[in-house]
């Protein structure tokens, strides 16, 4: 049995039409003889709205919280009505009513005590995936797909770090064997909500925002899947943001390591943590577009396929702040870096990039409201300056490993812009540099033009770009 884990994001299940499309995609995999296991997100924006309801309740605005819940109830019931009929519709509708009654009770309770713990917040937001997965499973069952709902909380076991819980591998694997395998043996299609999990004691937890990708990878690993498909609403990983650079190309194949670097540096296609469980078992991950299922997407594998271009993709991260720390008196002492990093640690502020000289350290962080306090604390150790509105360009590619002359090419391509800070990570597959936010788009276009003027057709979707250019040309002639 070749298992394929298919994860569908919020926009792939946003309404009845999207769920219908999703079911066609699943049916297509099954027709190829594969055994799909389906992981779904909450319907688009539902997690945000549940959080907003929880926050309103915490402020004591019970009426506001219940109004949000009422809109969600309406949306889910409407979707069920559009997809289901007969007894399935009746059962699902009354189940939905019950769920919303208990959600409303919960919100009223929160509004009464005006207190929201991470644990209760998880319980509130978990409704998104609990509802979507049940509706979708019912719909799969109704249309010739043998859908079977599995509560992900009975499968994914985590620690008790609410809002960002970490999975326990062994327990999760055992539960998947117990709850999912028998369904596959009966030729059913298990449907689970992503993002939600539970502690060993059965307390609901969540895996962090965007965590459904993580669920996909965990289930893929646990079931030893032959592939994991992340269905989203873009064509895959691109050579750069197409809004910045109109001739960005789809990257057909990329390594896990490259994809992880890109995800970290703000390419929003994939949750970086997705990478890990899949990497450990060498499971290929596909990023695919549910609104354009014929498109080949991006394949992510442990080993990088060879490309004649040095880079695979250029990512941009905006809204950064650079912090310059200069400490002449610390010259040649040890323990200095530790003291600096302790300050960031105390303020729970992650550092993106570091560059040092004998007497100075420059760091970049996401713009953060704690910066004045951080600077004040650092000021006890050294002279500190910080400056916002910076952006980072991160160029990723396995083929820069050990190649000389690449840096010279990069900085020649952008010789007209002022670069503030440079770093080539230990991974040797990325080159990052920081510049003014106002210069970043132009710099990316210059770099893209230089490094992708002759893209390797094995790695980049050159055909799509050519077809696009031809279309434009005819449009201009007419
Ligand atoms: N629904 C969750 C979120 O919006 C998880 C996910 O969609 O991946 O963050
Ligand atoms: Mg997502």
């Amino acid at each position: 049995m070749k298992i394929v884990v298919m994860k569908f994001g919020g926009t792939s299940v946003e309404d009845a039409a999207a769920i219908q499309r999703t079911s066609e995609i699943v049916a297509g995999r099954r027709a190829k003889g594969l055994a799909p296991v389906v992981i779904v997100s909450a319907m688009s924006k539902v997690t945000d709205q549940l959080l907003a309801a929880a926050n309103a309740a915490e402020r004591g605005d019970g009426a506001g919280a219940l109004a949000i819940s009422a809109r969600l109830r309406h949306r889910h019931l409407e979707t069920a009505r559009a997809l289901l009929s007969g007894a399935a519709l009746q059962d699902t509708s009354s189940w939905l009513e019950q769920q919303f009654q208990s959600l409303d009770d919960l919100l009223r309770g929160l509004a009464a005590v005006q207190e929201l713990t991470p644990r209760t917040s998880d319980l509130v937001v978990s409704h998104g995936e609990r509802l979507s997965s049940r509706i979708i499973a019912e719909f799969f069952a109704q249309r010739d797909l043998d859908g079977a709902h599995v509560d992900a909380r009975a499968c994914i076991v985590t620690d008790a770090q609410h809002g960002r819980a970490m999975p326990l591998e062994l327990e999760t694997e055992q539960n998947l064997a117990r709850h999912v395998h028998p369904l596959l043996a009966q030729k059913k299609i298990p449907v689970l909500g992503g993002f939600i999990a539970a502690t060993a004691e059965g307390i609901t937890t969540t895996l962090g925002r965007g965590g459904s990708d993580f669920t996909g990878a965990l289930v893929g690993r646990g079931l030893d899947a032959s592939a994991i498909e992340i269905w989203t609403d873009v064509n895959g990983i691109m050579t750069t943001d197409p809004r910045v650079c109109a001739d960005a190309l789809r990257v057909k194949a990329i390594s896990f390591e490259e994809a992880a670097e890109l995800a970290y540096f703000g390419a929003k296609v994939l949750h970086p943590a997705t990478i890990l469980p899949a990497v450990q078992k060498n499971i290929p991950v596909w990023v695919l577009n549910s609104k354009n299922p014929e498109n080949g997407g991006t394949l992510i594998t442990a080993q990088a396929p060879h490309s004649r271009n040095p880079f695979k993709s250029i990512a941009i991260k905006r809204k950064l702040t650079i912090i310059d720390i200069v400490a002449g008196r610390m010259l040649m002492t040890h323990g200095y870096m530790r003291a600096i990093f302790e300050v960031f640690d105390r303020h729970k502020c992650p550092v993106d990039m570091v560059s040092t000289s004998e007497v100075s350290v420059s760091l970049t962080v996401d713009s953060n409201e704690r910066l004045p306090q951080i600077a004040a604390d650092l000021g006890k150790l050294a002279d500190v300056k910080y400056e916002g509105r910076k952006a980072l360009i991160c160029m990723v590619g396995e083929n820069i490993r050990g190649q000389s002359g690449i840096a010279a090419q990069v900085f020649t391509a952008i010789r007209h812009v002022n670069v503030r800070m440079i770093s080539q990570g230990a991974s040797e597959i990325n080159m990052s540099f920081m510049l003014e936010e106002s210069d970043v788009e132009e710099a990316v276009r210059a770099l893209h033009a230089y490094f992708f003027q002759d893209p390797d057709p094995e790695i980049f979707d050159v055909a799509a770009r050519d077809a696009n250019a031809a279309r434009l040309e005819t449009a201009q002639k007419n």
Side-chain angles (χ1 to χ4, degrees):
M1 181 166 48
K2 261 186 138 176
I3 297 172
V4 56
V5 171
M6 307 177 74
K7 179 262 168 175
F8 292 89
T11 52
S12 303
V13 297
E14 65 190 349
D15 54 21
I19 293 171
Q20 178 76 49
R21 265 198 310 273
T22 287
S23 76
E24 295 298 332
I25 294 169
V26 174
R29 288 296 179 267
R30 189 189 222 191
K32 281 192 183 155
L34 295 164
V37 175
V38 174
I39 313 289
V40 294
S41 284
M43 297 171 77
S44 63
K45 304 271 161 35
V46 167
T47 307
D48 290 336
Q49 286 157 10
L50 287 165
L51 269 176
N55 292 331
E58 186 188 20
R59 290 193 306 272
D61 179 10
L66 292 175
I68 295 173
S69 164
R71 284 198 293 277
L72 288 173
R73 180 196 298 239
H74 179 77
R75 181 171 170 197
H76 285 87
L77 280 167
E78 280 299 293
T79 306
R81 256 179 233 129
L83 292 171
L84 304 172
S85 57
L89 175 58
Q90 247 169 22
D91 289 353
T92 308
S93 302
S94 60
W95 179 82
L96 284 170
E97 291 290 0
Q98 275 167 28
Q99 298 300 304
F100 277 101
Q101 251 163 43
S102 69
L103 175 63
D104 287 354
D105 287 343
L106 185 57
L107 292 171
R108 274 189 214 101
L110 292 176
V113 293
Q114 298 195 19
E115 186 190 286
L116 179 66
T117 61
R119 172 172 162 169
T120 332
S121 176
D122 270 355
L123 189 57
V124 173
V125 296
S126 72
H127 282 79
E129 272 74 6
R130 282 155 64 187
L131 301 171
S132 66
S133 59
R134 171 80 187 251
I135 294 172
I136 291 161
E138 293 291 343
F139 175 58
F140 281 12
Q142 184 173 297
R143 63 149 291 179
D144 67 344
L145 270 178
D146 299 308
H149 184 245
V150 179
D151 192 332
R153 295 173 300 169
C155 293
I156 314 287
V157 185
T158 67
D159 65 13
Q161 277 185 71
H162 286 283
R164 198 160 255 295
M166 286 308 292
L168 306 179
E169 187 178 339
L170 195 68
E171 290 83 341
T172 300
E173 219 154 279
Q174 286 167 350
N175 287 340
L176 287 167
R178 181 160 344 127
H179 298 297
V180 178
H181 255 302
L183 295 171
L184 290 171
Q186 294 165 46
K187 305 256 177 281
K188 297 217 154 115
I189 298 188
V191 181
L192 292 80
F195 177 58
I196 59 174
T199 64
E201 292 74 39
I203 309 296
T204 297
T205 56
T206 62
L207 301 174
R209 292 307 306 270
S212 294
D213 294 347
F214 198 16
T215 307
L218 291 169
V219 172
R221 174 177 70 184
L223 295 173
D224 225 338
S226 62
I228 296 170
E229 297 178 349
I230 307 282
W231 289 88
T232 166
D233 57 359
V234 296
N235 283 340
I237 293 176
M238 304 290 287
T239 50
T240 194
D241 184 344
R243 285 164 306 186
V244 172
C245 189
D247 49 2
L249 297 141
R250 174 170 61 93
V251 183
K252 295 201 276 192
I254 197 166
S255 74
F256 280 116
E257 221 186 323
E258 291 169 326
E261 292 274 1
L262 286 172
Y264 180 66
F265 281 96
K268 291 263 152 48
V269 179
L270 199 75
H271 193 285
T274 306
I275 306 301
L276 207 57
V279 143
Q280 290 167 334
K281 270 202 177 168
N282 240 329
I283 303 172
V285 178
W286 294 88
V287 178
L288 295 155
N289 187 352
S290 69
K291 295 190 172 147
N292 185 11
E294 298 311 316
N295 187 286
T298 299
L299 169 62
I300 307 172
T301 51
Q303 290 302 316
H306 184 77
S307 164
R308 69 171 182 234
N309 303 81
F311 294 107
K312 296 276 184 7
S313 184
I314 307 173
I316 307 170
K317 192 166 182 183
R318 293 184 171 85
K319 296 205 181 86
L320 296 175
T321 296
I322 186 166
I323 305 176
D324 291 318
I325 304 162
V326 181
R329 66 196 145 90
M330 289 291 191
L331 197 68
M332 315 278 290
T333 61
H334 63 86
Y336 174 45
M337 289 297 248
R338 195 191 61 199
I340 290 177
F341 279 105
E342 260 167 17
V343 172
F344 288 94
D345 192 37
R346 217 177 311 131
H347 292 279
K348 296 195 166 41
C349 175
V351 172
D352 271 329
M353 194 165 128
V354 186
S355 150
T356 63
S357 76
E358 195 55 41
V359 294
S360 72
V361 183
S362 296
L363 299 142
T364 69
V365 299
D366 276 340
S367 299
N368 178 314
E369 70 273 13
R370 299 182 72 102
L371 275 172
Q373 291 118 287
I374 293 173
D377 284 0
L378 290 170
K380 294 173 197 152
L381 305 167
D383 295 330
V384 181
K385 276 190 313 218
Y386 65 94
E387 225 182 283
R389 293 182 198 283
K390 299 289 177 279
L392 196 65
I393 293 182
C394 171
M395 309 198 43
V396 170
E398 298 258 10
N399 288 356
I400 64 172
R401 229 173 212 150
Q403 260 197 55
S404 57
I406 295 284
Q409 290 176 44
V410 167
F411 294 110
T412 306
I414 52 163
R415 60 189 170 280
H416 49 290
V417 301
N418 184 22
V419 173
R420 276 295 297 271
M421 197 174 148
I422 301 173
S423 140
Q424 175 153 14
S427 66
E428 290 179 23
I429 66 163
N430 98 53
M431 274 184 59
S432 313
F433 42 91
M434 166 148 299
L435 61 181
E436 296 298 326
E437 221 169 54
S438 53
D439 286 337
V440 72
E441 299 206 348
E442 216 224 293
V444 164
R445 284 192 283 269
L447 289 164
H448 196 274
Y450 184 88
F451 286 102
F452 295 100
Q453 59 188 336
D454 180 24
D456 188 336
E458 291 292 314
I459 303 295
F460 305 101
D461 188 0
V462 182
R465 181 170 77 175
D466 293 349
N468 222 356
R471 252 199 312 278
L472 269 177
E473 207 173 304
T474 8
Q476 270 158 9
K477 271 188 205 143
N478 296 335

